[in-house]
C-alpha cells in the first residue's frame, strides 16, 4: 500500500483542509502517515501569517526528505499562494499548488514522478472564488470535529496577508453546512468547531449570516456542542450574543481578536472597532455568563507602537476579564501596507513586550481556572489515557484532567474540580466524589 505523509502549519482551518486532502488519498487506497515516517508522497499545507511559519515550511521539507528521500513533495497553502517561486527553489520540492489547486493534487501530480525542477501551479488570487468544503473528521481520534463554514476575507488590515493568500470572503448555503454537521454527528462527534478565516462574516454575500447558521445548527437534536473558533469584535452583534447566551449547545467560549488595546494602533492597523467597543462586548459576555471563557489575539511591536502605546494595551488587558491571550510578535510581511510604515520597533523590544503579555496570559489563565475549583463541570474527554488519566474540555474551554481510561473518550461526564496544575484543572468524576474524598496530590506535574 502506498503511503502519504501530511503536515499542517497554521490554523484550525488549515488542519480541516489537510484532513480533507488526507481522506481523498485514503479513498485512492493510500495509507496516511506522519511526516516523520517513510512515505511515497508528502503534502505540506502552509501558513504565512508570520515570518516564522515561512521558515517552518523550509524546515519541514528537509525533515520530510530525511525520512522519505525519494518522496514526491507537494507544498500548498497560504505561503505557496503568496511566494511560490521561493518554495519551488527549495531542494526536493516537486509541485507547488495555490488555493485553487489545493484539492486537486492527484490530478495535477503527473503520476507522482520525481522532477528535476519543481512545477508551479498557482492561479492569481483574483481567480480564487471557489468554496471547498473541509472537515477534520476521520483523521485523528479527537472527539471534536472542525467544520469549515467560510473562507477568504474582505478586510484590509494593514498587517495581514490572508486576503492576498485566500481571496475574497465566501460561504455556502446553510443547508450545505447543516448537511455536513449531520454527517459528523452520525460519525459520533459530540462537538463541532466552526472554523474559517472570518467566521463572523459567514453568508454575507449570499444573504445569510452566522446568526441564521447557528439557529439551524442549534436544531440538530443529536449535536451536543457547537464551538465557534473566533469572531471579529465588530461582528459580535447584540442579536448574535443573545442567541449565543441562550443556547444550551453553543459553548460559552469566545475568542475575540483584539490585536491592540490602543486606539492609535488599532486605527493604524485599520481594524473596524476601537477598544471601548471591545470592552463593551466582553462586559456583556461576563455579565450574562460570569464563567465564560474569553480569549484574545494580540500583536506586539506593530510599527509606531511606542512604549506608551504598548502600556495602553497592557493596562487595558490587565483590567479586562480575559481568560487567555494568543500573543504574536509583529513581523513585516511583503505586500502589506504596514511593511512600509515608519516607526519600526527593534526586535529586542518586540520580544520583551511579547514576554510581558505571555506572562500576563499565564496569570490570567491560572486565575480563570481557579474560579472552577469546587465546581462540577461537564467535560468532553478526548485524549488517550496517560498514566491512568484522560483529559478533555469544558464548554468554557477549560482543560481538565481526571483519573480514567479510554472508555471515557468521546463521553461528556460531570467532573468536580479540585485544583489547578499548570495549564490544566484536575478533578474527579462526580460519581467518585460521592463515594470517597478526592486523593489529590501533585507529583512532577501530574496529579494522582
Amino acid at each position: 500500500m502506498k503511503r502519504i505523509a501530511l503536515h499542517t502549519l497554521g490554523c484550525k482551518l488549515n488542519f480541516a483542509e489537510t484532513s480533507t486532502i488526507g481522506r481523498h488519498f485514503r479513498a485512492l487506497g493510500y495509507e496516511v502517515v506522519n511526516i516523520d515516517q517513510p512515505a511515497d508522497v508528502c503534502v505540506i499545507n502552509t501558513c504565512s501569517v508570520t515570518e516564522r511559519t515561512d521558515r517552518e515550511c523550509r524546515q519541514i521539507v528537509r525533515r520530510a526528505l530525511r525520512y522519505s528521500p525519494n518522496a514526491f513533495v507537494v507544498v500548498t497553502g497560504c505561503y505557496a499562494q503568496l511566494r511560490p517561486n521561493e518554495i519551488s527553489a527549495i531542494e526536493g520540492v516537486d509541485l507547488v499548488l495555490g488555493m485553487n489547486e489545493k484539492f486537486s493534487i492527484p490530478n495535477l501530480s503527473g503520476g507522482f514522478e520525481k522532477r528535476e525542477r519543481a512545477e508551479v501551479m498557482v492561479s492569481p488570487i483574483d481567480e480564487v472564488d471557489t468554496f471547498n468544503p473541509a472537515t477534520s473528521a476521520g483523521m485523528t481520534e479527537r472527539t471534536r470535529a472542525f467544520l469549515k463554514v467560510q473562507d477568504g476575507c474582505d478586510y484590509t488590515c494593514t498587517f495581514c496577508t490572508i486576503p492576498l493568500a485566500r481571496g475574497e470572503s465566501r460561504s455556502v448555503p446553510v443547508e450545505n453546512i447543516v448537511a455536513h454537521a449531520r454527517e459528523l454527528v452520525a460519525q459520533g462527534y459530540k462537538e463541532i468547531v466552526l472554523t474559517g478565516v472570518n467566521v463572523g462574516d459567514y453568508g454575507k454575500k449570499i444573504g445569510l449570516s452566522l446568526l441564521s447558521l447557528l439557529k439551524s445548527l442549534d436544531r440538530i437534536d443529536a449535536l451536543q456542542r457547537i464551538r465557534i473558533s473566533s469572531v471579529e469584535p465588530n461582528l459580535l452583534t447584540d442579536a448574535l450574543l443573545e442567541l449565543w447566551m441562550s443556547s444550551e449547545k453553543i459553548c460559552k467560549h469566545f475568542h475575540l481578536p483584539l490585536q491592540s488595546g490602543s486606539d492609535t494602533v488599532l486605527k493604524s492597523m485599520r481594524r473596524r472597532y476601537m477598544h471601548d467597543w471591545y470592552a463593551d462586548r466582553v462586559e456583556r459576555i461576563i455579565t450574562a455568563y460570569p464563567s465564560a471563557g474569553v480569549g484574545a489575539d494580540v500583536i506586539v511591536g506593530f510599527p509606531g507602537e511606542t512604549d506608551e502605546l504598548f502600556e495602553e494595551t497592557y493596562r487595558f488587558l490587565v483590567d479586562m476579564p480575559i481568560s487567555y491571550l494568543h500573543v504574536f510578535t509583529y513581523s513585516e510581511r511583503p505586500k502589506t501596507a504596514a511593511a512600509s510604515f515608519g516607526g519600526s520597533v527593534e526586535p529586542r523590544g518586540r520580544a520583551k513586550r511579547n514576554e510581558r503579555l505571555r506572562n500576563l496570559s499565564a496569570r490570567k489563565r491560572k486565575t480563570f481556572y481557579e474560579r472552577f475549583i469546587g465546581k462540577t463541570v461537564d467535560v468532553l474527554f478526548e485524549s488517550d489515557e496517560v498514566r491512568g488519566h484522560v483529559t478533555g474540555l469544558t464548554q468554557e474551554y477549560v482543560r481538565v484532567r481526571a483519573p480514567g481510561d479510554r472508555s471515557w473518550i468521546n463521553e461528556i461526564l460531570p467532573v468536580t474540580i479540585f485544583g489547578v496544575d499548570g495549564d490544566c484543572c484536575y478533578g474527579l468524576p462526580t460519581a467518585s466524589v460521592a463515594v470517597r474524598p478526592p486523593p489529590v496530590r501533585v507529583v512532577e506535574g501530574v496529579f494522582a
Side-chain angles (χ1 to χ4, degrees):
M1 178 182 290
K2 290 189 175 181
R3 303 172 117 204
I4 179 170
L6 301 173
H7 192 84
T8 304
L9 295 171
C11 62
K12 294 179 175 66
L13 174 57
N14 261 11
F15 178 73
E17 292 181 338
T18 303
S19 298
T20 300
I21 292 169
R23 287 196 302 278
H24 291 169
F25 272 88
R26 276 184 174 170
L28 295 173
Y30 280 75
E31 178 187 359
V32 178
V33 298
N34 188 275
I35 201 76
D36 292 336
Q37 296 176 270
D40 301 285
V41 180
C42 296
V43 176
I44 302 166
N45 191 10
T46 63
C47 171
S48 193
V49 171
T50 67
E51 184 181 7
R52 181 175 60 85
T53 53
D54 293 356
R55 292 198 304 270
E56 284 179 341
C57 174
R58 302 184 190 97
Q59 292 167 358
I60 292 298
V61 170
R62 290 194 291 268
R63 179 170 145 196
L65 290 173
R66 280 202 303 272
Y67 292 92
S68 308
N70 298 316
F72 187 92
V73 178
V74 182
V75 181
T76 186
C78 293
Y79 183 29
Q81 180 70 41
L82 290 171
R83 304 168 83 171
N85 292 330
E86 283 189 13
I87 296 173
S88 67
I90 299 174
E91 186 176 355
V93 172
D94 297 287
L95 185 61
V96 183
L97 299 180
M99 287 299 171
N100 259 352
E101 296 77 20
K102 177 185 283 191
F103 294 94
S104 302
I105 297 172
N107 298 331
L108 301 176
S109 65
F112 298 111
E113 294 292 331
K114 288 292 290 182
R115 300 171 186 182
E116 293 184 5
R117 185 174 181 178
E119 184 173 1
V120 175
M121 299 182 185
V122 177
S123 301
I125 197 59
D126 57 5
E127 296 179 9
V128 178
D129 57 5
T130 301
F131 182 91
N132 292 291
T135 74
S136 63
M139 295 305 295
T140 70
E141 293 188 4
R142 300 174 73 163
T143 57
R144 297 181 296 137
F146 298 112
L147 175 58
K148 176 180 172 181
V149 301
Q150 184 273 341
D151 202 349
C153 188
D154 294 338
Y155 287 9
T156 58
C157 299
T158 57
F159 57 83
C160 188
T161 60
I162 290 177
L164 302 174
R166 283 191 171 267
E168 295 183 352
S169 180
R170 53 200 184 275
S171 318
V172 291
V174 167
E175 54 265 30
N176 295 45
I177 303 299
V178 170
H180 282 296
R182 290 188 184 278
E183 290 175 4
L184 293 170
V185 171
Q187 293 173 37
Y189 288 93
K190 293 198 167 56
E191 178 178 311
I192 292 177
V193 184
L194 307 185
T195 186
V197 174
N198 187 350
V199 175
D201 204 39
Y202 169 81
K204 181 181 68 176
K205 294 180 179 177
I206 52 177
L208 299 170
S209 67
L210 180 59
L211 182 65
S212 62
L213 174 60
L214 288 172
K215 287 180 178 178
S216 295
L217 292 173
D218 200 45
R219 290 193 288 267
I220 300 177
D221 291 336
L223 177 57
Q224 297 190 39
R225 282 186 182 180
I226 304 165
R227 194 179 299 274
I228 303 167
S229 58
S230 70
V231 173
E232 288 290 315
N234 57 294
L235 297 175
L236 188 57
T237 63
D238 289 345
L240 184 55
L241 265 176
E242 182 179 352
L243 175 65
W244 205 319
M245 289 303 181
S246 63
S247 169
E248 294 183 359
K249 295 183 179 182
I250 304 176
C251 293
K252 304 307 180 282
H253 166 220
F254 300 77
H255 192 86
L256 308 177
L258 171 64
Q259 310 308 2
S260 177
S262 163
D263 285 350
T264 300
V265 178
L266 288 173
K267 290 176 183 176
S268 184
M269 289 178 167
R270 213 180 289 157
R271 300 293 284 169
R272 300 190 177 198
Y273 54 87
M274 293 293 101
H275 82 280
D276 283 348
W277 173 262
Y278 192 97
D280 176 78
R281 298 295 91 182
V282 175
E283 180 182 354
R284 287 173 183 260
I285 292 168
I286 298 302
T287 298
Y289 195 94
S291 297
V294 181
D297 294 333
V298 186
I299 296 173
V300 297
F302 187 77
E305 183 191 61
T306 62
D307 289 341
E308 292 75 18
L309 293 178
F310 171 74
E311 289 302 326
E312 287 184 24
T313 293
Y314 190 85
R315 290 193 299 270
F316 179 74
L317 289 169
V318 166
D319 294 336
M320 280 286 97
I322 300 291
S323 312
Y324 63 89
L325 302 172
H326 288 168
V327 186
F328 301 89
T329 299
Y330 172 77
S331 60
E332 291 78 1
R333 311 307 295 140
K335 298 182 181 180
T336 60
S340 62
F341 288 180
S344 176
V345 180
E346 53 96 12
R348 184 176 298 179
R350 300 183 200 185
K352 288 182 178 179
R353 293 174 188 179
N354 185 300
E355 182 179 10
R356 283 189 67 191
L357 286 189
R358 287 182 181 274
N359 289 338
L360 176 62
S361 177
R363 295 196 299 272
K364 282 189 168 288
R365 187 187 293 273
K366 183 173 185 291
T367 299
F368 176 61
Y369 277 14
E370 287 174 344
R371 293 167 57 187
F372 289 87
I373 294 176
K375 295 182 179 180
T376 299
V377 293
D378 289 333
V379 179
L380 173 58
F381 286 97
E382 62 176 8
S383 76
D384 286 338
E385 178 184 350
V386 178
R387 296 174 68 178
H389 298 85
V390 287
T391 61
L393 288 173
T394 71
Q395 65 156 304
E396 298 87 358
Y397 207 61
V398 175
R399 187 159 294 282
V400 176
R401 187 184 299 124
D405 56 39
R406 284 189 57 83
S407 68
W408 288 21
I409 295 175
N410 204 29
E411 296 293 336
I412 297 178
L413 301 173
V415 175
T416 300
I417 303 300
F418 291 104
V420 177
D421 178 16
D423 62 352
C424 194
C425 286
Y426 56 86
L428 288 172
T430 302
S432 300
V433 175
V435 174
R436 59 184 173 83
V440 177
R441 61 188 178 88
V442 176
V443 181
E444 296 181 353
V446 178
F447 70 94

